[in-house]
Amino acid sequence: MEAKKAFQQGEVPVGAVAVLHGKIIGRAHNLVEKLQDASAHAELLCLQRAAASLGNWRLLGVTLYTTLEPCCLCTGALYAFRIQRIVWGAADKRLGADGSFVSLLSVPHPLHTVEVTRNILAKESGELMTTFFQQRRKQHAQDVG
């Protein structure tokens, strides 16, 4: 749902939801274009909102669900916020930090471990990304031509 909101707003269609004890405590989608902020990734915004809802930056026991493999920025945030688990959808060959570009989540962290579940609903997430970029390229060709 969050990724579709991003898509409808002309943002790269990435969405994230933070869950604690079966309850959603944060949700977000990419806002990079709207905010003109390269760090306004769905995952980071979601973690910030989850922390605000709990009144605590330590998101112990929280699972973050995201439609795209996290990048280096978002992977760092997973550790900083002390996320217990991440579940991601489609691989990101351009910026993915769980093996597609670099493998940060497989390097043992000295203080914290993040459980990883990969490729959940990867086909659906990947199709949304493909459609978004096909439309963007088509629009760019029309604007240029």
Side-chain angles (χ1 to χ4, degrees):
M1 178 179 242
E2 289 297 320
K4 288 180 182 177
K5 286 182 191 176
F7 184 96
Q8 293 165 351
Q9 295 173 13
E11 297 280 353
V12 174
V14 180
V17 177
V19 175
L20 179 63
H21 306 305
K23 181 181 174 198
I24 295 173
I25 59 168
R27 62 175 66 231
H29 57 273
N30 272 8
L31 291 175
V32 171
E33 297 300 329
K34 179 179 180 181
L35 299 178
Q36 289 299 294
D37 179 351
S39 70
H41 292 191
E43 300 90 339
L44 186 55
L45 296 171
C46 184
L47 294 171
Q48 292 167 344
R49 292 173 183 172
S53 76
L54 293 179
N56 190 339
W57 62 268
R58 291 174 189 88
L59 299 179
L60 303 173
V62 171
T63 297
L64 181 73
Y65 295 88
T66 182
T67 57
L68 189 66
E69 177 183 0
C71 69
C72 295
L73 171 74
C74 295
T75 299
L78 298 175
Y79 288 111
F81 280 94
R82 309 255 168 65
I83 287 293
Q84 178 180 340
R85 179 176 176 226
I86 182 164
V87 177
W88 59 263
D92 182 358
K93 296 192 184 329
R94 189 175 65 91
L95 292 174
D98 189 29
S100 295
F101 169 57
V102 295
S103 298
L104 296 179
L105 286 166
S106 64
V107 176
H109 188 274
L111 303 174
H112 184 67
T113 300
V114 176
E115 297 172 38
V116 183
T117 303
R118 300 165 180 89
N119 301 309
I120 301 302
L121 298 174
K123 182 179 177 188
E124 294 86 343
S125 297
E127 287 174 353
L128 188 60
M129 295 289 283
T130 299
T131 300
F132 175 81
F133 284 109
Q134 285 173 342
Q135 288 181 4
R136 184 176 257 187
R137 282 189 294 276
K138 183 178 177 181
Q139 183 62 46
H140 178 71
Q142 290 173 350
D143 292 346
V144 172

